């Protein structure tokens, strides 16, 4: 079985900054509440005419440049998103056309915040079997368009961005050591968009009652997040024959600084090993970890030989953890 290597990373963050002070003018909130309860100071928001595939395209180009590969070399495209351009066709197909690549396989993954790590894990199976050699995995989220800007419980948390990687069979350089994927549909009602699917199709009533916006039970998610992230990380490390003592750099999902600190404490990891970007970017769902990985690589925070742990948790419920030797 062939191992996989991340041969290039890229990301794209919209230019428009929305600060906590801006939010104070929109809903009944304060910079003090948002900072102490979440750790978020500001986030990025797309322009009106920007959609997930636009962000995905920009992140993909950067990842392919870093990997020194041309779009025509790609064998498959996976896009992780809960904010696709439309219900269907897949945003991955829209991206395939924008990139001008061959008629290769392209599909979306709808696994909320865990989608990027699910995508890498799925892609690595195609590489392991020898079916494909060069796979683009992109996480692209435009959460500002499904957030209810009248709901202070959610609108202060979520934001927009995209990150991408190119995966190839391991030759030298980094390699993916192990992964753990999981889900628990019992918690499906803790976060989601109730209307617009086949259960509750769009109607005047669903629009009037704001059912097309994200609804979230923050407290319920908080408890599950810490437990699930530690369990997923435990399993991925065990599979790789490693312990937390071996980990040089930890990239957790960026939902809340209090969740991240609780998780790091349980793992026995000091905060200087933990990657944080939610203060600048908020929660970008699947894109959070993808953007964090790209920035850490470009800023050379990750060095050759480092053992990297990436762990996510989100809607579904879903979770995923990945160990990479860089
Ligand atoms: N500004 C001011 N007050 C607020 C705000 C706000 N923006 N939002 C909520 N409050 C109030 C509440 O109304 C409540 O007031 P009350 O006591 O008078 O009722 C009070 O603050 C406390 O609310 P809690 O919900 O208990 O606050 P908590 O400390 O739990 O923080 C938060 C809420 C930030 C949402 C936290 O629970 C959290 O981060 N949860 C995890 C979210 C998560 O993991 N998401 C990942 C999945 S998302 C996905 O998959 C797309």
């Amino acid at each position: 079985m062939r191992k996989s290597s991340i041969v290039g990373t890229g990301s794209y963050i919209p230019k428009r900054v929305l600060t906590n002070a801006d939010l104070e003018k929109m809903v009944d909130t304060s910079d003090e509440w948002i900072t102490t309860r979440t750790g978020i100071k500001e986030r990025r928001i797309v322009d009106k005419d920007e959609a997930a595939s636009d962000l995905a395209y920009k992140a993909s180009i950067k990842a392919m440049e870093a990997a020194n590969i041309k779009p025509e070399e790609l064998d498959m495209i996976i896009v992780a998103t809960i904010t696709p351009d439309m219900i269907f066709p897949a945003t991955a197909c829209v991206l395939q056309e924008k990139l001008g690549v061959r008629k290769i396989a392209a599909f979306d993954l709808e696994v909320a915040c865990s989608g990027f790590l699910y995508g890498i894990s799925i892609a690595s199976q195609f590489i392991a079997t020898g079916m494909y050699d060069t796979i683009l995995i992109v996480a692209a989220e435009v959460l500002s368009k499904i957030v209810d800007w009248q709901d202070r419980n959610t609108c202060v948390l979520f934001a927009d961005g995209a990150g991408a990687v190119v995966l190839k069979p391991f030759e030298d350089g980094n390699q993916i050591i192990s992964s753990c994927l999981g889900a628990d549909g019992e918690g499906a009602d803790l976060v989601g968009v109730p209307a617009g699917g086949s259960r509750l199709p769009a109607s005047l009533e669903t629009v009037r009652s704001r059912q097309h916006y994200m609804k979230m039970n923050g407290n319920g998610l908080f408890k599950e997040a810490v437990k699930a992230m530690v369990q997923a990380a435990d399993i991925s490390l065990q599979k790789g024959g490693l312990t937390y003592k071996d980990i040089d750099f930890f990239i957790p999902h960026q939902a809340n600084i209090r969740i991240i600190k609780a998780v790091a404490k349980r793992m026995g990891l000091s905060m200087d090993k933990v990657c944080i970007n939610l203060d600048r970017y908020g929660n970008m769902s699947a894109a959070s970890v993808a953007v964090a990985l790209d920035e850490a690589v470009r800023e050379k925070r990750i060095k050759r030989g480092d053992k990297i742990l990436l762990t996510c948790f989100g809607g579904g419920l879903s979770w995923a953890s990945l160990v990479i030797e860089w």
Side-chain angles (χ1 to χ4, degrees), residues 26-45:
M26 296 161 67
V27 286
D28 179 16
T29 191
S30 65
D31 173 47
E32 200 267 332
W33 192 96
I34 303 170
T35 306
T36 54
R37 305 310 293 167
T38 73
I40 302 167
K41 295 297 285 182
E42 59 184 41
R43 67 288 290 144
R44 301 297 183 95
I45 303 295

Side-chain angles (χ1 to χ4, degrees), residues 1 7 12 20 27 98 112 119 123 204 211 230 278 282 289 300:
M1 292 289 220
V7 294
Y12 172 75
N20 291 349
V27 286
K98 279 187 199 235
L204 270 180
Q211 298 294 304
V230 176
L278 91 169
V289 158
K300 302 201 175 5

Side-chain angles (χ1 to χ4, degrees), residues 249 251 292-294 296-297 299-304 306 308 326:
F249 199 62
I251 307 183
L293 175 65
D294 178 50
V297 169
E299 289 161 12
K300 302 201 175 5
R301 288 189 71 189
I302 299 177
K303 293 176 287 300
R304 185 86 189 252
D306 278 357
I308 319 292
W326 205 260

Side-chain angles (χ1 to χ4, degrees), residues 7 21 40 65-67 93 99-100 104 108 131 148 192 202 207 211 213 216 224 232 237 259 267 270-271 302 315:
V7 294
I40 302 167
E65 277 170 8
C93 296
L99 292 171
I104 55 169
D108 286 1
M131 186 159 172
D148 185 344
V207 173
Q211 298 294 304
Y213 293 122
M216 186 180 85
E224 294 302 323
L237 285 172
I259 294 177
M267 293 175 170
S270 59
M271 284 305 286
I302 299 177

Side-chain angles (χ1 to χ4, degrees), residues 28-30 33-34 37-38 82 112-113 152-153 156-158 191 214 216 218-219 221-222 225 253 255-256 258-259 283 285 313-315:
D28 179 16
T29 191
S30 65
W33 192 96
I34 303 170
R37 305 310 293 167
T38 73
I82 49 168
C113 308
R152 69 176 185 173
N153 291 297
V156 303
L157 305 174
F158 296 101
V191 60
M214 192 194 300
M216 186 180 85
N219 283 319
L221 283 168
F222 197 110
H253 176 50
N256 189 315
R258 292 182 293 136
I259 294 177
N283 181 349
S285 188
F313 168 84

